[in-house]
Amino acid sequence: MELIRGLHNIQPRHRGCVLTIGNFDGVHLGHQRVLQAVVEQAKKQSLPSVVMLFEPLPIEYFAPENAPVRLMNFREKVKALQGSGIDYVLCVRFNRVFSALSAEQFVQTILVDGLNVKHLVVGDDFRFGQQRQGDFIYLNNSGKALGFSVTHMPTFNVAGKR
């Protein structure tokens, strides 16, 4: 697994991928299901599998006083992802400029122009873009127009608990 530090370090070999995006705050059972779906889809399409995560976490950026204690620090998170079968982990700096991207800009600039995503796997609660304006429906409609498909993973529950 290769760690890509920043959008500016995306290389041609990283493009044309199956992607998931999230905090991956503990690489728990729900995350493991998402990662498995990404790896399986990437193998089916003979494409690289990519996880996009953020430093700092969005909650740490917007409301550090309300941010929960991390289950894993960045190094532990990367180490946990190494056993998942993922090809690349893209760490994006979450800052003022990135947080100001609209959902449309995020899809066009990051997903299409930057990564040339072919398939995207997201959790059912995934939101993105300025003020969290983008969601699965937006991604699905964008994908149909721009040439990528999207799968949403339902919440993983054990004994009725998320």
Side-chain angles (χ1 to χ4, degrees):
M1 184 185 82
E2 177 185 342
L3 175 61
I4 308 163
R5 290 186 177 268
L7 296 167
H8 61 283
N9 284 318
I10 294 172
Q11 301 295 314
R13 69 180 178 276
H14 306 133
R15 300 183 83 246
C17 63
V18 176
L19 175 72
T20 190
I21 305 168
N23 290 327
F24 294 93
D25 52 345
V27 193
H28 53 64
L29 292 174
H31 290 146
Q32 291 171 31
R33 291 275 173 103
V34 170
L35 296 169
Q36 181 181 12
V38 170
V39 169
E40 288 173 4
Q41 189 68 30
K43 285 181 180 174
K44 281 183 193 173
Q45 296 189 39
S46 298
L47 296 171
S49 55
V50 180
V51 169
M52 180 189 296
L53 48 82
F54 308 100
E55 282 296 326
L57 300 177
I59 187 73
E60 293 170 341
Y61 177 79
F62 287 115
E65 66 283 353
N66 296 329
V69 175
R70 285 189 179 212
L71 300 174
M72 295 180 168
N73 66 33
F74 178 72
R75 180 173 287 163
E76 292 167 333
K77 187 185 308 190
V78 171
K79 188 173 183 178
L81 289 168
Q82 283 179 329
S84 67
I86 292 293
D87 296 310
Y88 305 113
V89 172
L90 171 60
C91 181
V92 175
R93 184 88 179 136
F94 198 91
N95 58 24
R96 182 184 55 75
V97 172
F98 187 82
S99 69
L101 291 174
S102 68
E104 180 180 5
Q105 289 170 318
F106 180 88
V107 168
Q108 187 64 54
T109 304
I110 309 297
L111 301 184
V112 176
D113 298 341
L115 287 166
N116 190 25
V117 168
K118 300 301 180 191
H119 188 81
L120 182 61
V121 179
V122 295
D124 58 1
D125 60 348
F126 179 68
R127 302 296 297 245
F128 68 99
Q130 187 178 40
Q131 298 178 345
R132 299 172 47 95
Q133 59 193 209
D135 58 9
F136 172 76
I137 293 169
Y138 184 87
L139 282 172
N140 199 41
N141 290 337
S142 296
K144 288 175 184 173
L146 297 169
F148 62 89
S149 54
V150 186
T151 298
H152 84 29
M153 298 290 294
T155 297
F156 184 73
N157 293 301
V158 175
K161 293 187 178 182
R162 180 182 166 98

